[in-house]
Amino acid sequence: MEEMKYKNPDLPIPERVEDLLSRMTVEEKLQQLHCPGSVATFEEYYNEMLEGKARMDGSIYTFRDLDPAHINRMQEYCMNQTRLGIPLLVALEGTHGGSVPMMTVFPTTGCIAATFDEGYAYKMAEAEAKEAKACGFNQMYAPNCDLLREPRWGRAEENYGEDTLVVTKMVEQMVHGLQNNGIGATMKHYIGFGSPESGLNMSPAHMGEREIREFMLPPFAACVKAGIMGTMPTYSEMDGLSMHANHYWLVDVLRKELGFDGMVITDYGASWLLCNVTKTVDSPLEAGKLFLENMVDMEATRALAYGEQTLEAIKNGEMDEHCLDGAVRRVLTMKFKLGLFENPYCDENTWREKVYTPEHRALAREIAEKGLTLVKNDGTLPLKGGERIALIGPNAEIAQLGSYTYYNYRDADKDVDCVAQRAMPLKQAMEEKFGAENVKTARGCGFALYEENMVEEALRIARESDVIVFAGGHNSIGVFGGDAGVGEQRDETHDLDWAHTCGEGADMADTDLLFPQKRLLKELEKLGKPIVLLIYSGKPMSITDELPFCNAVLWTYGVGCEGNPVVADMLAGDVIPSGRLPFSVPRSAGHLPCFYNHYRQGKGLLYKRPGSPEKPGKDYVFASPTPLFPFGHGLSYTTFAYEDLTAEKTGDVCRVAVTVKNIGDYDADHSVLIFAHNVHTKLVSAVIKKLVDYRRVHIPKGESLRVEFDVPMERFSYIGVDMKYVPAHGEVEIMTENLKTSFEA
C-alpha cells in the first residue's frame, strides 16, 4: 500500500505539503482556495454539504453562529468523506473578542491602546484564542493594523489609534497571543485602509509611498516578523489600482521585501467588486489570473475568481494547472502548521466552560479600568456621594460594546444565548453604585430621533437632580454593515432608536456629537446643573460646542461586556482614570485630517496666527488648526509633575530619563510618553513629532519615580528620498509633557 506521506506528522511540513499537492486534482486545488461564509449558520452550511450543494474543504467563516457540534460535523465530513481528507480552516472576526454569541466581548481596540500597555493586547488575544479554539475555530481575522486617520469612517473604532509605534506594538502582541494558543492570525487591511476618501468605507486611499512606509507599513512588517500566518488586503484602491491587483505592494513589498510567506485571503467579495463595481476586469477568469499573479491565495466569499471559469480554462489548456500550486501550497502549509490534519475537532461537551470565563471577564473589566480616558474635569468628578443623579442619553439604558459584536436582536426569532445581552446597562451599574433612590433615568433622545415627550421627561428629572450624567456617543449595536439601522429607525419590541452610527458601513459626514444629543444638551445646559458627559465611541467625536458647558468628559469607547460597572466606579472615585487618548480629536470635520504626527510644514507652522470670529487670522481665518484634544491627552483624579528630562546617545540606543511626581491625593497609574523630532533631515520633510517610547507606571501619592527608557536609535530614523530608512543625524529633540531636551545623533 502506498505511503501517504502527508498523513505522517513526523515528516517536515514542506514534505507533507508536496506529497498532498501531488495527489490533488485541479478541482481539489481550486476548492482549497475558496472561503464561503458570513450570513448563514454552520448548520445551514453543513446541510448544504450533505445535499451536495457545496464543498467546503478550503475554509469557512461566519459571525452569526457558535455551534461546535456542526463545526465538528463539517470537519468530520471533510476528513472522512472526501477523497484526501483535508480539514477546514474555520475563521471568525476577533478585533476585540470573538464575534459570535457566547464569546467574551472586550473593550474596543481604542480602549486597549489607551492603556499604553501592549501586554493587554497579548492577554486579550490569548483569551480570544483559547475561547475560539475551544469552539472549533482555528483562524481569526485579526489583528487590525490600520491607522486611525479618518474619524468619519465607521470602522475607525476597530483601530488601535493614529500612532505607528502604539499600533505596531499592539498588533505584534496580538499575533503572539493568538498564534501561541493555536489560532492562525490574519493581519488586515493591507494597506492604507484607515484613510478612505471622504471617510466612506472602501473608498480610494490617497497617499504617497513615503507616507505608507513612514506610518502605515511598520505594523504589518512587525506582524510578519512575528510569524503571522495570514494577510487580508484592503478593499481600497491606491492611485486608481485595487490593492488586490497591486503587484508592487502585494508581491514586491509584502512577499519579497518583508518576507511574508503565509496565506493571503481576499476581503469579503473583493473579486465581485472587481468584476461588478469597479469593472476593472472583464470576467471572473481575468480576476483569477490577476489574483494568482499577485499571490492572492484564497477567495472570500463567492467562488468567482477561483470558480467555474478558471476550472474550465485549466481543463481546456488556457491556463496551466501548476499556476495554482503556489496558492494551494500556502493554504495547506497553514493547515499543517495549525495541526489540523492531526486534530481538527473541539470538545463539544466542554466548550461552554471555556468561553466567557470569570478570568476573561475580569480581564475585560481590567482593560476598561486602565483604558477609560478622562479628558476634562473641573473638580466635579469624582462625585461626592449622596447626590441626586439624572442619568440621561441614548446610551443610558443599553450596553454599548462596539462593532463586530454579536447581538441577538438580529435573530429575534431565535433563542440565542448572547454575551452582549448579558452586559450590564449603565442604568443598572449606576443604581448599584449610587443607590436606585439616587438615580433617575430618561433617555431624552435617540441616536437619530428627537421627540418632545422624551425631551420633557429628561428635563423633568434633570431639574430635580444635583448632577446630570449624559450617556452619549455612537451606536454600534448590530453585527456589522448597518444591520441594526436598516429599515425602521425604531425597534417596536425594545422601543429604542437603532440608527447605526458607527461600525462597518456606518460612516458619518461629520465628526460632531450626533444632532439629537447636541440639541438635548443645549436644553440641559439652561438648567445650570453640573453635566458629566460620557462618550461611548471607539473613534474621535468633536464636542467643540459642548465642551465649554460640560464640567467633566469621560471617554468610554466601546466598554466591553464588563465596562459599565467600571464607568460607575470611576464616577464614584473607586477607580482612578489613567487612560490616554490614542487618537487626536478634531474641532470639526473641516479640521480633517487631524493627527499629531504630521510633516513639519503642516498645521499652521508658517503663519502661526490662528483666528477666531472675534479676531480673524490665517491658520484658519476663524479657527485654530490644533485638535480639540491631542493624541496622548488624558487626566487623572491626581496630578503628575515632570522634571529633569535627560537624553544621551549610548551606542545603539538613546537613554532617556525623566522624574515623575504624584503631587495629588490618589495613588494612580500613569503612562509616560516620549516624543522626538529630527531637527535636521536631508531633502525630505521631518515629522514634527513622533512617539518613540512609552511606559505605564504606578506612582503612590506623594512619591516620585525616575522613569528610564533605552530607545533604539532606529526609532529616530526617517524615510529618505530613495524610500529607505535614513539614520538620524545632527540634533534630535526629545519631548514629554511640558519638558524638552535634545541630543546629538
Side-chain angles (χ1 to χ4, degrees):
M1 184 175 179
E2 182 186 7
E3 180 188 3
M4 298 285 193
K5 290 185 177 180
Y6 75 92
K7 293 187 177 183
N8 184 350
D10 296 326
L11 292 177
I13 287 177
E15 187 174 343
R16 298 178 73 186
V17 169
E18 295 307 316
D19 179 66
L20 177 54
L21 190 62
S22 69
R23 302 172 186 275
M24 298 174 74
T25 65
V26 62
E27 290 91 346
E28 289 166 337
K29 290 178 181 180
L30 278 172
Q31 185 55 42
Q32 285 302 304
L33 310 186
H34 184 210
C35 175
S38 90
V39 295
T41 65
F42 285 132
E43 181 179 9
E44 290 165 332
Y45 287 127
Y46 176 59
N47 289 335
E48 287 187 4
M49 292 175 73
L50 294 181
E51 294 166 10
K53 295 179 180 178
R55 285 188 56 198
M56 297 172 193
D57 46 359
S59 178
I60 191 166
Y61 155 74
T62 189
F63 55 79
R64 289 190 61 185
D65 193 15
L66 181 53
D67 191 341
H70 279 105
I71 292 177
N72 277 348
R73 299 296 86 74
M74 284 189 287
Q75 292 285 28
E76 191 278 334
Y77 182 93
C78 291
M79 294 293 289
N80 299 319
Q81 299 184 51
T82 61
R83 189 176 74 90
L84 294 171
I86 303 175
L88 277 165
L89 287 172
V90 187
L92 79 164
E93 304 288 347
T95 54
H96 63 117
S99 58
V100 288
M102 276 300 294
M103 291 188 185
T104 306
V105 182
F106 294 91
T108 48
T109 47
C111 186
I112 301 170
T115 68
F116 282 86
D117 183 346
E118 64 272 17
Y120 286 117
Y122 181 90
K123 291 175 183 177
M124 180 192 73
E126 180 180 47
E128 285 184 332
K130 289 178 178 179
E131 294 192 358
K133 193 168 181 63
C135 297
F137 295 93
N138 44 59
Q139 183 184 14
M140 192 166 280
Y141 298 150
N144 190 321
C145 301
D146 306 321
L147 263 63
L148 195 167
R149 287 197 161 188
E150 179 43 270
R152 293 173 295 180
W153 183 46
R155 298 193 73 173
E157 75 163 24
E158 299 176 34
N159 304 149
Y160 280 106
E162 69 186 42
D163 179 75
T164 300
L165 180 65
V166 172
V167 174
T168 297
K169 286 192 169 188
M170 295 288 171
V171 299
E172 181 181 40
Q173 288 305 311
M174 273 207 75
V175 174
H176 291 310
L178 292 172
Q179 295 192 169
N180 288 352
N181 291 280
I183 296 295
T186 304
M187 60 183 182
K188 59 182 187 179
H189 305 84
Y190 183 86
I191 191 171
F193 197 40
S195 302
E197 178 182 282
S198 303
L200 292 170
N201 195 41
M202 299 192 291
S203 291
H206 303 285
M207 61 188 70
E209 182 175 349
R210 177 168 291 99
E211 185 176 1
I212 294 175
R213 288 183 175 277
E214 186 92 51
F215 301 107
M216 311 297 172
L217 191 59
F220 293 95
C223 288
V224 174
K225 189 174 181 180
I228 197 164
M229 295 184 185
T231 296
M232 181 182 290
T234 171
Y235 284 119
S236 300
E237 298 172 343
M238 190 80 70
D239 196 23
L241 182 63
S242 167
M243 189 55 65
H244 285 80
N246 196 313
H247 191 86
Y248 177 72
W249 288 109
L250 281 179
V251 179
D252 294 344
V253 176
L254 178 65
R255 296 290 191 180
K256 296 179 181 178
E257 182 180 326
L258 299 186
F260 176 68
D261 61 359
M263 182 187 81
V264 170
I265 181 172
T266 73
D267 208 337
Y268 182 108
S271 52
W272 179 85
L273 288 171
L274 290 174
C275 295
N276 298 287
V277 178
T278 65
K279 299 186 178 180
T280 48
V281 297
D282 294 328
S283 66
L285 174 59
E286 187 177 354
K289 292 178 178 178
L290 193 67
F291 283 176
L292 291 174
E293 289 171 3
N294 290 290
M295 301 178 76
V296 176
D297 305 316
M298 184 174 282
E299 181 181 16
T301 59
R302 296 170 60 184
L304 294 176
Y306 295 143
E308 290 299 322
Q309 288 189 17
T310 300
L311 176 62
E312 290 303 314
I314 293 174
K315 285 186 173 181
N316 64 29
E318 183 181 345
M319 289 177 66
D320 188 335
E321 177 181 343
H322 294 297
C323 69
L324 298 176
D325 289 355
V328 178
R329 185 177 287 114
R330 288 184 287 272
V331 172
L332 294 177
T333 297
M334 184 173 184
K335 293 183 176 185
F336 278 114
K337 283 184 175 180
L338 291 171
L340 301 183
F341 282 82
E342 284 66 62
N343 183 19
Y345 307 111
C346 63
D347 189 334
E348 299 171 25
N349 300 314
T350 63
W351 69 271
R352 283 187 176 272
E353 303 167 10
K354 300 174 183 177
V355 299
Y356 193 53
T357 65
E359 293 78 14
H360 295 169
R361 292 173 62 187
L363 176 61
R365 178 185 175 94
E366 184 177 353
I367 293 171
E369 290 177 341
K370 306 299 185 182
L372 266 58
T373 308
L374 186 67
V375 298
K376 179 182 178 180
N377 187 25
D378 65 0
T380 297
L381 294 180
L383 299 178
K384 308 304 183 290
E387 296 104 325
R388 295 171 299 170
I389 300 170
L391 177 59
I392 296 169
N395 280 314
E397 297 179 308
I398 56 180
Q400 196 62 248
L401 309 184
S403 63
Y404 274 98
T405 295
Y406 182 97
Y407 291 82
N408 64 13
Y409 294 132
R410 175 168 177 138
D411 293 322
D413 59 326
K414 299 178 181 178
D415 182 19
V416 179
D417 191 3
C418 175
V419 165
Q421 305 313 124
R422 297 184 184 187
M424 185 181 294
L426 181 61
K427 177 179 184 291
Q428 181 182 347
M430 293 289 286
E431 289 176 346
E432 291 186 5
K433 172 57 62 175
F434 296 100
E437 70 280 4
N438 294 320
V439 180
K440 304 301 179 186
T441 305
R443 291 199 309 277
C445 69
F447 298 102
L449 299 177
Y450 188 87
E451 296 180 354
E452 294 301 328
N453 62 324
M454 295 175 66
V455 173
E456 185 50 45
E457 173 64 11
L459 292 176
R460 182 188 66 79
I461 69 166
R463 291 188 191 100
E464 299 170 355
S465 72
D466 299 310
V467 61
I468 299 166
V469 175
F470 191 94
H474 275 298
N475 176 43
S476 301
I477 292 179
V479 179
F480 82 96
D483 300 293
V486 172
E488 294 296 325
Q489 292 284 4
R490 186 179 293 276
D491 182 299
E492 295 180 359
T493 304
H494 301 90
D495 191 33
L496 292 176
D497 171 2
W498 282 127
H500 196 202
T501 65
C502 194
E504 185 168 355
D507 310 313
M508 302 296 291
D510 62 40
T511 57
D512 280 3
L513 203 63
L514 304 179
F515 64 91
Q517 299 174 42
K518 292 179 70 71
R519 189 172 171 186
L520 179 55
L521 277 165
K522 289 296 290 183
E523 294 298 317
L524 293 169
E525 178 198 6
K526 297 174 184 177
L527 302 180
K529 303 293 180 76
I531 297 176
V532 177
L533 174 60
L534 308 178
I535 302 179
Y536 286 84
S537 176
K539 64 177 189 173
M541 294 189 78
S542 302
I543 54 169
T544 305
D545 296 335
E546 295 73 33
L547 190 60
F549 64 80
C550 287
N551 301 80
V553 180
L554 180 65
W555 218 285
T556 57
Y557 307 92
V559 291
C561 61
E562 301 295 319
N564 274 325
V566 175
V567 174
D569 284 348
M570 198 166 283
L571 296 181
D574 294 332
V575 172
I576 308 302
S578 59
R580 304 188 74 157
L581 290 175
F583 45 67
S584 301
V585 178
R587 296 177 185 273
S588 72
H591 287 73
L592 299 179
C594 179
F595 46 85
Y596 87 94
N597 45 357
H598 56 82
Y599 288 115
R600 184 152 42 197
Q601 198 167 321
K603 301 297 179 186
L605 180 72
L606 180 61
Y607 296 116
K608 298 182 180 178
R609 288 175 53 192
S612 67
E614 297 75 23
K615 187 178 180 180
K618 287 193 173 183
D619 298 320
Y620 299 97
V621 173
F622 297 127
S624 169
T626 60
L628 186 64
F629 299 112
F631 168 84
H633 176 72
L635 305 176
S636 177
Y637 293 153
T638 192
T639 303
F640 296 97
Y642 282 61
E643 62 182 29
D644 192 20
L645 174 66
T646 61
E648 181 181 7
K649 181 182 176 183
T650 305
D652 294 333
V653 303
C654 175
R655 178 152 297 173
V656 179
V658 65
T659 299
V660 184
K661 294 182 177 181
N662 183 344
I663 59 175
D665 298 326
Y666 297 88
D667 300 344
D669 284 4
H670 180 65
S671 293
V672 181
L673 312 185
I674 303 297
F675 297 91
H677 168 64
N678 291 16
V679 177
H680 303 286
T681 51
K682 296 177 181 178
L683 297 180
V684 300
S685 182
V687 175
I688 193 68
K689 180 181 179 182
K690 69 176 181 179
L691 188 69
V692 292
D693 217 336
Y694 60 83
R695 184 172 305 142
R696 186 182 182 92
V697 296
H698 181 79
I699 308 178
K701 63 182 179 180
E703 295 188 13
S704 63
L705 182 67
R706 187 70 175 167
V707 186
E708 297 182 345
F709 303 85
D710 283 340
V711 185
M713 285 301 298
E714 63 188 32
R715 291 187 188 165
F716 302 103
S717 60
Y718 60 94
I719 301 295
V721 175
D722 60 358
M723 297 299 168
K724 296 180 180 178
Y725 279 101
V726 176
H729 47 90
E731 183 183 6
V732 178
E733 294 178 337
I734 297 293
M735 297 156 278
T736 184
E737 300 302 316
N738 59 338
L739 301 179
K740 180 186 292 188
T741 189
S742 64
F743 72 96
E744 288 293 317

